[in-house]
Each structure stands twice: as structure tokens, then as C-alpha cells.
Amino acid sequence: MSANSLDAPRTVEVVLVKSGRTKIRYPAELLADDGTRVTVRAPWAGEGVRDFGFVRFEPGDVFTEYYWRDRWYAVKEVRDAQGVRKGWYCDITRPAALSGGELVVEDLDLDLWRSADGTDVLRLDEDEFAASGLATTDPRAATAAQNALDTLELLAREGDFEALLG
């Protein structure tokens, strides 16, 4: 392998699956893969602006995304076009799988937001999670998802959240 090929960024396709269907697919630069955690960076892949009330995702935003093969969540650091951190959006997911250039993650509806300054920590979409029926169809996964949300919330509220990503 030449020196140039080692320096070239590697691209993977992030595939977010929800309820058995692909919700979104986008290219991302592979930053690191230590065998357990995969880190990628990608621009905002949504169309236009998405205003959640507590944060706006918009063109120019950059997401550094952390996925684990052994944990039930993904953490996405969000920065604006000038590089100012907006906060972290966390998806509760099944453990990620990287294969053949695709990083596949199954979204389990629960989410968590932590603002850049740590003052806002919000549990999100618990109603969607309840309506998904996962507690009935896959009780083990539902318990793992709820435990993952509790773990992330505790880290987000009581510090050491950023150490999770270091």
C-alpha cells in the first residue's frame, strides 16, 4: 500500500434502520475503528433545517458520530458551520455493525439530547418507544434500550459524559 492510500480518508455509508426499513443513508468519513467503537464524521444529512425547539440541525452542521459494537447507543457531537459545539444527540440503538463499507445501526426510538454547556439534558421520544411495541416483541431489547437511556442520562447529568468519547 502506498503512503498516499494510507493518508486518504476512508468513506463508509451510515445506514440507519428503523422498524425494519432504511430511514436514512449517508456517506461519512471513517475517523477511527478500534474494534469496539467506530467514529465517523459527516455533514448534516437531513433535508433543510430540522428545528426540535431545543436545537436546530441545518446545512453546514457537522456530526462526529460514535457507534459501539457492544453498547445500545450512539452519540453524535453536533457542531455548527463555524465549529461551535451545539451539543450531543444520542440515539438508543442496537449495537452497530460495520461490514462491507456499511455501518448499520438499528434505531430503537429513544433519544437523549445534551446541550453543549450541559445545562439541558432531555429524554426524547419515550412515547414513540412505548408505541413501537418493542417491550412485547423483544423484551430483552426493550430493557437494554431503557438501561442505555438511563446510563447516558446519568453520564450527561453527573459529568464524565465527554470522557465516554475520549
Side-chain angles (χ1 to χ4, degrees):
M1 207 179 263
S2 73
N4 287 341
S5 64
L6 291 174
D7 294 335
R10 182 168 162 218
T11 300
V12 297
E13 193 81 8
V14 177
V15 181
L16 184 62
V17 176
K18 189 169 180 176
S19 302
R21 293 188 309 260
T22 298
K23 180 178 175 182
I24 191 168
R25 163 187 292 272
Y26 54 92
E29 178 186 355
L30 178 63
L31 300 178
D33 181 357
D34 66 8
T36 302
R37 186 178 78 185
V38 179
T39 306
V40 301
R41 182 175 298 130
W44 164 239
E47 299 209 7
V49 174
R50 178 123 188 242
D51 191 340
F52 291 94
F54 52 87
V55 67
R56 287 170 48 104
F57 296 159
E58 50 202 332
D61 286 352
V62 176
F63 288 66
T64 302
E65 305 175 358
Y66 302 86
Y67 298 93
W68 285 265
R69 291 179 174 96
D70 63 350
R71 297 184 190 177
W72 288 71
Y73 53 79
V75 177
K76 301 170 182 181
E77 179 190 56
V78 185
R79 293 181 180 266
D80 69 16
Q82 289 73 44
V84 176
R85 182 184 294 145
K86 292 182 176 187
W88 294 268
Y89 195 89
C90 308
D91 286 322
I92 304 305
T93 67
R94 291 185 190 269
L98 178 61
S99 177
E102 286 188 340
L103 179 61
V104 180
V105 185
E106 184 180 348
D107 185 345
L108 298 177
D109 294 309
L110 292 171
D111 301 297
L112 183 91
W113 170 254
R114 182 181 188 264
S115 61
D117 64 5
T119 59
D120 289 330
V121 177
L122 306 170
R123 292 170 70 108
L124 306 168
D125 302 329
E126 290 179 293
D127 55 340
E128 286 181 35
F129 178 75
S132 76
L134 190 65
T136 302
T137 60
D138 192 343
R140 181 185 152 283
T143 298
Q146 290 170 320
N147 289 343
L149 182 63
D150 292 343
T151 297
L152 282 174
E153 181 181 23
L154 185 64
L155 287 170
R157 290 188 186 283
E158 297 184 6
D160 220 20
F161 185 78
E162 292 181 59
L164 173 69
L165 311 176

